[in-house]
């Protein structure tokens, strides 16, 4: 008997999105806003002023205990044990084959405490990777696995470690929190003027990129990270679900005279593409190892042991590599379109669009190493028409400092 698929989950902000006239799409098992007005207008707002995104579909894991740092060194590709409290780091969860299970952001919230944020569609895969690593890396008596019911106390300023019985506790706290991204050149001014927001840790004007600070909103704990997925400066705000709606409303009101608009997944996708940021299921998958995707720098290959280390050296030397492609005109290559060198198919587009910021088509593609040098002239098969394209360095767009 065929099981009926579970309906998509909804964000704590769903009713507000409906009231704003959003169109929705299923993304990673969540019913999320794809746009409110115009993809182009929302994209430009982020580049020129600011955009507000609901990213509550992302998954959050707490990793706590005296062995937390060493455990993350083992289960993730990077070296997390050297990261300072208050900082963040991009990393990868790898399969034993060396392929990418997910890409994550890790925040060090204490000497023995970390927050790991993963993609919505990979929540179960990351949880399984953590559980498998726990089972093989530490004796059962030294580990504890929690769930959303083990969420930190909402009365504290910063999410505190969950209670465990051993030297390592991993808890999925996704359902206890909402995530809101405030992105764009006006983001700092808007957040600073949002009624009810108080920064209790490092002031925003002193907070470095890929760092976090503690705060509060109307008495609820507010985790403020200077991170994002748009290529612009901005913040990602984690707050208990009960206060998410009020924070969303307050931020929109504070940014009303600064050009802030609510933004959906369509604008988020073109923004991250211009910034050369990979998307799982497009540029990243279990069939792709980090070096192919230009992420070899993320892997601390000198670590004595970590999940996927042995598999990284077993791939073929001629495996396709990720490149940027730029074209003239208005016709853009889309995911799945073939890339050719002369009459030979040498690769495939993974993401592509007409860049709203640059005014010409851009794409990311996996191509044969022999066709990957910057300046190489290729063509894209756009529905039977060959469109000239040139290999270029990523990212396509870089914000002014």
């Amino acid at each position: 008997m065929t099981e009926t698929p579970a309906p998509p989950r909804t964000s704590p902000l769903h009713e507000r999105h409906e009231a704003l006239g959003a169109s929705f799409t299923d993304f990673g098992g969540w019913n999320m806003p794809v746009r409110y007005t115009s993809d182009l207008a929302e994209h430009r707002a982020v580049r020129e002023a600011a955009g507000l995104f609901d990213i509550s579909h992302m998954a959050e894991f707490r990793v706590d205990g005296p062995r937390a740092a060493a455990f993350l060194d083992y289960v993730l590709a990077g070296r997390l044990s050297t990261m300072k409290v208050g900082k963040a780091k991009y990393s990868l969860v790898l399969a034993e084959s060396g392929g990418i299970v997910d890409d994550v952001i890790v925040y060090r919230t204490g000497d023995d405490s970390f927050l790991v944020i993963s993609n919505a569609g990979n929540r179960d895969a990351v949880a399984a990777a953590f559980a498998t690593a726990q089972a093989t890396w530490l004796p059962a008596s030294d580990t504890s696995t929690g769930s959303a019911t083990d969420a930190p106390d909402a009365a504290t300023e910063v999410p505190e470690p969950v209670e465990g019985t051993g030297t390592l506790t991993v808890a999925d706290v996704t359902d206890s929190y909402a995530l809101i991204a405030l992105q764009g050149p006006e983001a700092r001014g808007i957040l600073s003027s949002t009624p009810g927001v108080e920064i209790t840790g490092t002031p925003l004007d002193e907070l470095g990129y890929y760092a976090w600070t503690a705060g509060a909103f109307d008495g609820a704990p507010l985790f403020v990270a200077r991170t994002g997925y748009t290529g612009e400066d901005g913040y990602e705000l984690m707050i208990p679900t009960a206060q998410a709606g009020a924070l969303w409303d307050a931020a929109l009101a504070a940014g009303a005279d600064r050009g802030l608009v609510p933004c959906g997944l369509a604008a988020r996708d073109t923004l991250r593409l211009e910034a050369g940021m990979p998307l799982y299921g497009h540029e990243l998958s279990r069939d792709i190892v980090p070096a192919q995707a230009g992420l070899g720098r993320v892997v601390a290959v000198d670590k004595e042991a970590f999940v996927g280390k042995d598999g990284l050296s077993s791939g073929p030397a001629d495996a396709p590599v990720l490149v940027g492609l730029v074209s003239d005109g208005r016709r853009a290559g889309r995911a799945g379109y073939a890339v050719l060198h002369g009459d030979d198919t040498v690769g495939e587009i993974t993401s592509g669009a007409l860049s709203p910021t640059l005014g010409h088509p851009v794409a990311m593609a996996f191509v044969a190493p022999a066709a990957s040098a910057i300046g190489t002239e290729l063509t894209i098969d756009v529905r039977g028409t060959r469109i000239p394209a040139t290999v270029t360095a990523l990212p396509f767009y870089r914000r002014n400092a």
Side-chain angles (χ1 to χ4, degrees):
M1 183 175 178
T2 303
E3 293 185 5
T4 303
R9 299 184 62 186
T10 56
S11 157
L13 301 170
H14 187 78
E15 291 183 358
R16 283 169 167 77
H17 302 321
E18 288 184 320
L20 289 168
S23 300
F24 293 89
T25 189
D26 186 336
F27 187 82
W30 290 70
N31 196 23
M32 298 299 293
V34 66
R35 69 181 57 82
Y36 298 85
T37 55
S38 149
D39 300 351
L40 182 60
E42 293 170 20
H43 180 110
R44 285 180 172 168
V46 177
R47 290 282 182 252
E48 298 171 3
L52 196 66
F53 300 82
D54 180 6
I55 56 172
S56 299
H57 58 299
M58 305 293 282
E60 296 88 51
F61 298 87
R62 286 302 315 249
V63 182
D64 299 289
R67 302 296 300 277
F71 173 73
L72 289 175
D73 277 353
Y74 174 73
V75 75
L76 299 181
R79 191 183 300 279
L80 288 307
S81 58
T82 58
M83 181 168 56
K84 295 181 179 179
V85 174
K87 298 297 185 181
K89 194 169 189 176
Y90 179 83
S91 197
L92 300 168
V93 182
L94 301 182
E96 290 290 356
S97 65
I100 300 170
V101 174
D102 200 14
D103 60 336
V104 299
I105 304 292
V106 183
Y107 302 87
R108 191 161 197 168
T109 56
D111 289 341
D112 299 324
S113 302
F114 296 81
L115 172 69
V116 181
I117 297 184
S118 73
N119 289 296
N122 289 329
R123 177 181 177 180
D124 290 344
V126 171
F130 284 174
T132 298
Q134 281 182 273
T136 57
W137 188 73
L138 277 181
S141 60
D142 287 337
T143 67
S144 175
T145 301
S147 67
T149 59
D150 300 312
D153 183 351
T156 59
E157 288 190 349
V158 180
E160 290 185 344
V162 299
E163 294 185 2
T165 58
T167 60
L168 177 69
T169 299
V170 178
D172 183 340
V173 297
T174 304
D175 295 336
S176 297
Y177 293 99
L179 280 173
I180 297 170
L182 174 59
Q183 301 282 293
E186 295 288 336
R188 183 186 299 177
I190 293 170
L191 185 58
S192 297
S193 62
T194 298
V197 169
E198 177 187 7
I199 302 301
T200 57
T202 304
L204 294 182
D205 59 1
E206 299 176 14
L207 188 67
Y209 191 50
Y210 262 63
W212 67 272
T213 188
F217 173 71
D218 287 348
L222 181 65
F223 185 90
V224 180
R226 193 178 173 192
T227 49
Y229 193 52
T230 64
E232 293 297 335
D233 200 0
Y235 305 93
E236 293 178 316
L237 314 173
M238 187 173 77
I239 190 166
T241 55
Q243 286 77 33
L247 177 60
W248 175 272
D249 294 343
L252 280 179
D257 60 352
R258 291 176 177 261
L260 176 67
V261 302
C263 297
L265 291 175
R268 186 169 163 88
D269 191 51
T270 51
L271 289 160
R272 70 93 193 169
L273 172 59
E274 289 182 345
M277 295 178 171
L279 175 64
Y280 198 88
H282 289 251
E283 290 74 39
L284 307 178
S285 74
R286 289 176 182 263
D287 296 325
I288 299 297
V289 299
Q292 287 180 259
L295 297 175
R297 67 188 185 282
V298 175
V299 183
V301 293
D302 59 332
K303 290 191 298 183
E304 181 177 350
F306 60 91
V307 178
K309 181 174 183 177
D310 293 341
L312 291 175
S313 59
S314 62
D318 60 349
V321 294
L322 189 68
V323 300
L325 296 174
V326 294
S327 307
D328 294 326
R330 311 289 291 179
R331 300 187 67 183
R334 305 290 181 177
Y337 287 10
V339 179
L340 302 98
H341 190 206
D343 292 328
D344 297 326
T345 298
V346 295
E348 184 177 285
I349 301 291
T350 54
S351 299
L354 177 62
S355 166
T357 303
L358 304 175
H360 59 74
V362 298
M364 289 193 281
F366 278 103
V367 302
S372 66
I374 293 175
T376 301
E377 298 295 332
L378 303 173
T379 58
I380 303 171
D381 185 347
V382 180
R383 297 183 178 180
T385 300
R386 297 220 183 159
I387 305 297
T390 304
V391 176
T392 189
L394 293 170
F396 304 106
Y397 165 86
R398 195 184 302 273
R399 68 180 174 87
N400 295 326

